[in-house]
Amino acid sequence: MFDKKLQDAFNGQINAELQSAYLYLAMASWLDSQSLPGMAGWMRMQAQEEVMHAMKFYDFVQERGGRVILTALETPQAEWESPLKAFEDTLTHERKVTSLIHNLVDLSIAEKDHAANAFLQWFVTEQVEEEANADQIVRFEEDDTDGADVVLVTYGITARVAQMGRELAQEQGVKVGMIRLIVVWPFPEKRISELAGKIKAFIVPEINYGQIVLEVERCAAGRAPAILVSHGGGGVHEPEAIAEAIVRAAK
Ligand SMILES: [Fe+2]
């Protein structure tokens, strides 16, 4: 039989993993409501991974002849200040999960349950990876930013139309580079800050509430303006509007 103390703790972990899934799913839904399907998709995948974690604990309890007991989940948060805030919350949450896993490891040692300990090692490694991923998640592509007068900062579906606007501005002789964010958090703070000292302006075409432009502004710290190009009410941007903003900023 599976030790009662460990069984209770493992059941608690099933709840915690499902709680994580619930939180990430709530974030996915909120991101979708902000017209950020790329980020929402990423959160959905995280949610699925958490369900998979819960099932690993479920199977282990069963295999050991224990009994899985499910308990109530809390209602997750429904709204976030910004996508960045939501992504920051995932890291905070993962850190909490890591400490729960470590408590289980301590318990397995105290109870001299070597099988449970071996099982938990997978999660110990997994948590290291999850937190490291969050640190290395700064991912972006850069194009012609060296020597540029203006740098476009784009994310998601605005990248394509921004590229068209960029080409129109280049035809008018403007040196315009581009940073395409692959993820929004953590933000490429260092790079934006470096460029801010060298360029005339950042141009940020956004289809949502201008969260990215605020981040660019924060990183540029007044050394270069961050100019928002919002779409003309509903659809996507016009490349001409983006080109115009670039040309104006380059003067
Ligand atoms: Fe997990």
Side-chain angles (χ1 to χ4, degrees):
M1 261 303 272
F2 195 27
D3 177 84
K4 176 80 168 76
K5 246 191 246 167
L6 274 168
Q7 176 178 295
D8 290 348
F10 272 48
N11 276 325
Q13 193 63 28
I14 291 173
N15 180 286
E17 299 290 346
L18 290 174
Q19 194 68 58
S20 301
Y22 225 35
L23 174 66
Y24 297 159
L25 203 53
M27 286 178 178
S29 161
W30 180 76
L31 289 163
D32 252 327
S33 78
Q34 304 298 301
S35 308
L36 297 167
M39 286 186 244
W42 189 85
M43 280 299 178
R44 264 181 92 125
M45 270 167 54
Q46 293 305 113
Q48 276 168 6
E49 217 169 277
E50 298 308 332
V51 173
M52 193 263 282
H53 291 169
M55 292 316 292
K56 272 182 181 277
F57 279 99
Y58 182 106
D59 289 340
F60 186 80
V61 172
Q62 301 274 52
E63 276 165 25
R64 295 292 298 276
R67 170 82 159 88
V68 170
I69 300 290
L70 299 177
T71 49
L73 296 175
E74 284 166 30
T75 302
Q77 193 174 329
E79 309 280 338
W80 280 264
E81 257 166 55
S82 66
L84 299 173
K85 192 76 189 61
F87 277 80
E88 280 168 9
D89 283 359
T90 62
L91 183 60
T92 312
H93 186 77
E94 283 306 323
R95 291 199 173 129
K96 227 186 285 170
V97 173
T98 300
S99 76
L100 290 177
I101 298 284
H102 290 175
N103 290 344
L104 292 180
V105 172
D106 290 344
L107 186 61
S108 73
I109 292 168
E111 298 298 312
K112 297 191 170 71
D113 189 325
H114 300 294
N117 187 277
F119 167 81
L120 289 165
Q121 292 312 312
W122 183 88
F123 283 91
V124 172
T125 312
E126 173 75 4
Q127 285 306 120
V128 171
E129 270 171 26
E130 296 226 338
E131 287 187 31
N133 282 349
D135 277 343
Q136 291 159 7
I137 214 170
V138 184
R139 286 168 59 210
F140 60 97
E141 283 172 357
E142 225 176 310
D143 194 23
D144 285 339
T145 48
D146 286 326
D149 284 326
V150 176
V151 170
L152 272 165
V153 182
T154 70
Y155 172 75
I157 59 165
T158 58
R160 241 190 78 209
V161 68
Q163 176 58 26
M164 288 157 71
R166 183 180 165 215
E167 283 165 18
L168 290 175
Q170 281 167 333
E171 281 168 19
Q172 297 181 52
V174 180
K175 282 190 245 163
V176 48
M178 182 149 126
I179 286 185
R180 190 173 74 82
L181 304 172
I182 296 163
V183 294
V184 289
W185 185 84
F187 205 69
E189 255 174 73
K190 240 180 79 197
R191 189 57 184 143
I192 296 285
S193 172
E194 277 168 13
L195 286 169
K198 299 178 187 164
I199 66 170
K200 289 181 179 163
F202 292 100
I203 302 288
V204 188
E206 276 197 79
I207 48 162
N208 41 61
Y209 303 134
Q211 290 102 340
I212 293 175
V213 75
L214 287 177
E215 276 303 291
V216 174
E217 204 168 70
R218 184 177 66 78
C219 301
R223 285 169 303 140
I227 300 163
L228 173 71
V229 183
S230 49
H231 60 87
V236 282
H237 290 82
E238 296 290 332
E240 290 78 12
I242 295 171
E244 208 184 288
I246 295 168
V247 173
R248 212 180 311 132
K251 280 188 181 139

